[in-house]
Amino acid sequence: MALLAVAACVLCFLPGMARAQLRVGFYDTTCPNAEALVRQAVAAAFANDAGLAAGLIRLHFHDCFVRGCDASVLLTVNPGGGDTERDSPANNPSLRGFDVIDAAKAAVEQSCPGTVSCADIVAFAARDSIGLTGSVSYQVPAGRRDGKVSTKQDANDNLPRPTFTASQLVASFANKSLTTEDMVVLSGAHTVGRSFCNSFVDRVWANRSTTNPTPIVDAGLSASYAALLRALCPANTTQATPITTALDPGTPNVLDNNYYKLLPRGMGLFVSDNQLRVDATTAAIVSGFAANETLWKEKFAAAMVKMGRIQVQTGACGEVRLNCSVVNPTSSSSTVVELLGSTAAPAAGQEGVAASY
Ligand code: HEM
Ligand SMILES: *[C@@H]1O[C@H](CO)[C@@H](O)[C@H](O)[C@H]1NC(C)=O
Ligand SMILES: *[C@@H]1O[C@H](CO)[C@@H](O)[C@H](O)[C@H]1NC(C)=O
Ligand SMILES: *[C@@H]1O[C@H](CO)[C@@H](O)[C@H](O)[C@H]1NC(C)=O
Ligand SMILES: *[C@@H]1O[C@H](CO)[C@@H](O)[C@H](O)[C@H]1NC(C)=O
Ligand SMILES: *[C@@H]1O[C@H](CO)[C@@H](O)[C@H](O)[C@H]1NC(C)=O
């Protein structure tokens, strides 16, 4: 029985199987208001702080790249112990939008208890954020189930870093079955939102840990932009330095193709952004999107849907979490379906999850 259960859940991780199982309108009969309730929660948050749209778009990306789109990024406790994805420097302190997901979850729980997964809410919220900032609409195939493992190490290992070269970026996305073009398309999300100093400060200051920090201008930055960033970010910047700047200073809350126009001007904020115009293959794609915003928006919507399918758990795998921050209590996991999910977790992960069961 246990072996069959493991086999059933291993099947869920095969890309082809997972693809067949997500579907647009998944909640049409079980929770017809689900998508509208999420949209309302996102719109309310956006009205109060437009930056949250960027936060929610990134939240979906960081969820999908670490153990698949399973809301593992939301967990504050890993059942197997240890730090969670949220504790990774890639997420802490910069990742935001958790409260919006909680508000959306509260609304759907009230309307249809135990029905809508946190992973689907994250995917819907990203789509709604793209709608609010970019007037782009698309349908989100749903039916993702929530994972039960979240580790800091997985986040460290799987999320691309702002210091990556073009070939490292390509490899990171290829590992998630995303193409070079998908990578360039999705990087256009950096037309909204902000970054803390720590992610780019090494481009404008050298010898930062010494008593004699030196002003520098990274080869990919314009001198004037570098001077601005240096004035903003002290040489002694750390992960905790609470200073941020817009990724696209002109229109930080508008999802346009300005990102691709900034790159050739030496205004890509991260080393990784600038790499897209340094590498010949990606540079050609960048020029195409700089020249045609409609083209980029179409491709962006399609690539978000593709990203949303990464290693999803469906059917009997995983669970529908009741509280997005924590896995369901074992007492409510005593159905056959939940046992199947629990049994499979150690097989799929590297951490000692089994200890908690
Ligand atoms: C290509 C590799 C990528 C790298 C290296 C990267 C890196 C980063 C970094 C370092 C930040 C700022 C974090 C901080 O505050 O320190 C950031 C912000 C952001 N990223 Fe990416 N990113 C990548 C791809 C993506 C993708 C695929 C998306 C979504 C589709 C995305 C969406 C965003 C958004 C919206 C923000 C702003 C977040 C906010 O304002 O809260 N990024 N990214
Ligand atoms: C590639 O993806 C797998 C999961 O499919 C993950 O375990 C591994 O850490 C990833 N490697 C990199 C370099 O992202
Ligand atoms: C960093 O400090 C070392 C030793 O003081 C010096 O030789 C080097 O030129 C400095 N680097 C830069 C970029 O100024
Ligand atoms: C960092 O440098 C700034 C000046 O650039 C200074 O005001 C601040 O006290 C320094 N912080 C730390 C923790 O050394
Ligand atoms: C821009 O892209 C759109 C969508 O693919 C296409 O229909 C349109 O012809 C392109 N415009 C130009 C000027 O190439
Ligand atoms: C969800 O769980 C967290 C952590 O235990 C708790 O602080 C929060 O109040 C819970 N939320 C709801 C809506 O019960």
Side-chain angles (χ1 to χ4, degrees):
M1 183 59 195
L3 276 178
L4 279 177
V6 170
C9 285
V10 166
L11 284 180
C12 295
F13 288 94
L14 295 176
M17 301 285 292
R19 181 163 304 214
Q21 290 173 51
L22 289 186
R23 125 181 108 71
V24 170
F26 185 81
Y27 298 109
D28 279 357
T29 54
T30 55
C31 191
N33 290 333
E35 296 192 38
L37 291 170
V38 174
R39 192 177 315 115
Q40 279 164 27
V42 173
F46 182 78
N48 188 48
D49 176 0
L52 284 168
L56 290 165
I57 295 167
R58 184 167 183 241
L59 189 66
H60 188 36
F61 164 49
H62 281 207
D63 183 28
C64 293
F65 264 57
V66 186
R67 308 190 72 90
C69 316
D70 68 343
S72 54
V73 70
L74 304 178
L75 292 175
T76 54
V77 180
N78 178 46
D83 288 342
T84 63
E85 290 172 29
R86 286 174 71 155
D87 301 313
S88 163
N91 290 328
N92 183 11
S94 59
L95 205 59
R96 52 177 170 165
F98 297 105
D99 293 350
V100 187
I101 301 299
D102 287 343
K105 177 65 170 172
V108 294
E109 280 304 305
Q110 194 165 29
S111 193
C112 4
T115 306
V116 182
S117 70
C118 298
D120 280 341
I121 292 174
V122 170
F124 294 145
R127 182 266 314 272
D128 299 335
S129 298
I130 289 166
L132 286 164
T133 51
S135 310
V136 180
S137 67
Y138 61 92
Q139 294 191 303
V140 177
R144 296 167 189 81
R145 291 174 59 90
D146 299 325
K148 300 178 185 178
V149 180
S150 177
T151 76
K152 175 180 176 174
Q153 193 62 47
D154 282 339
N156 290 347
D157 291 347
N158 286 272
L159 292 169
R161 298 176 184 220
T163 50
F164 271 14
T165 61
S167 62
Q168 287 174 309
L169 293 168
V170 169
S172 165
F173 279 65
N175 192 37
K176 307 296 170 191
S177 303
L178 295 172
T179 65
T180 300
E181 185 184 78
D182 293 333
M183 187 272 288
V184 178
V185 169
L186 289 167
S187 294
H190 287 177
T191 179
V192 291
R194 43 94 159 141
S195 173
F196 285 79
C197 287
N198 207 42
S199 296
F200 57 83
V201 67
D202 288 323
R203 305 186 75 193
V204 296
W205 287 108
N207 285 332
R208 293 205 298 116
S209 57
T210 70
T211 48
N212 287 317
T214 324
I216 54 164
V217 178
D218 176 285
L221 279 180
S222 87
S224 56
Y225 191 41
L228 216 124
L229 298 174
R230 198 179 308 114
L232 182 72
C233 301
N236 61 10
T237 288
T238 66
Q239 188 78 18
T241 302
I243 305 171
T244 62
T245 191
L247 299 180
D248 171 357
T251 49
N253 296 316
V254 182
L255 195 84
D256 51 23
N257 67 340
N258 208 34
Y259 171 77
Y260 301 101
K261 297 177 182 167
L262 291 174
L263 296 183
R265 293 171 50 201
M267 288 185 70
L269 188 56
F270 307 130
V271 167
S272 56
D273 294 322
N274 184 61
Q275 280 288 300
L276 302 187
R277 63 112 177 213
V278 168
D279 177 87
T281 306
T282 54
I285 306 172
V286 165
S287 327
F289 294 150
N292 191 336
E293 182 168 73
T294 310
L295 176 68
W296 172 67
K297 285 189 171 184
E298 282 178 12
K299 298 219 169 190
F300 185 67
M304 286 297 291
V305 170
K306 189 172 172 187
M307 186 180 86
R309 296 186 189 276
I310 296 173
Q311 292 169 306
V312 290
Q313 305 191 45
T314 57
C317 294
E319 64 183 9
V320 171
R321 226 177 270 157
L322 300 173
N323 178 332
C324 290
S325 305
V326 287
V327 304
N328 291 341
T330 14
S331 55
S332 79
S333 300
S334 55
T335 64
V336 173
V337 163
E338 298 302 341
L339 281 175
L340 292 181
S342 310
T343 311
Q350 301 156 334
E351 306 293 317
V353 188
S356 70
Y357 291 101

